[in-house]
Amino acid sequence: MKRNELTTAGALAIGDTFYKASDKTKKVFERITGEAKVTDFATYNVTARKHGSKFPEAMKSNTAVVFLRHIG
């Protein structure tokens, strides 16, 4: 994948950094390993962590994101 390429969160590999396409502040996330989170309303398959935060955030796999780089 190339830098600044528009893709979905489900297409990212573990260790990829990205930001949400709809985010005007462009907060950087890193995809991490994690289990799917199932609620009454939706299933969240992608687990990511904001840069500098220790708490993970769940998001849907079809969330539009902008790929930044792969951290090995």
Side-chain angles (χ1 to χ4, degrees):
M1 226 178 271
K2 295 182 180 178
R3 184 174 172 87
N4 295 326
E5 183 177 337
L6 185 64
T7 185
T8 61
L12 297 173
I14 303 300
D16 287 350
T17 58
F18 63 95
Y19 63 89
K20 294 180 183 178
S22 61
D23 188 13
K24 292 182 181 181
T25 60
K26 299 182 180 181
K27 292 184 181 175
V28 177
F29 288 85
E30 178 184 353
R31 178 148 186 212
I32 59 173
T33 58
E35 298 179 4
K37 181 178 179 182
V38 180
T39 65
D40 292 337
F41 303 107
T43 300
Y44 303 97
N45 296 325
V46 176
T47 306
R49 181 175 50 222
K50 285 183 187 176
H51 185 70
S53 175
K54 65 178 182 176
F55 301 108
E57 181 177 318
M59 62 182 68
K60 291 185 178 182
S61 60
N62 61 355
T63 303
V65 299
V66 177
F67 174 79
L68 295 176
R69 67 184 233 182
H70 179 73
I71 299 175

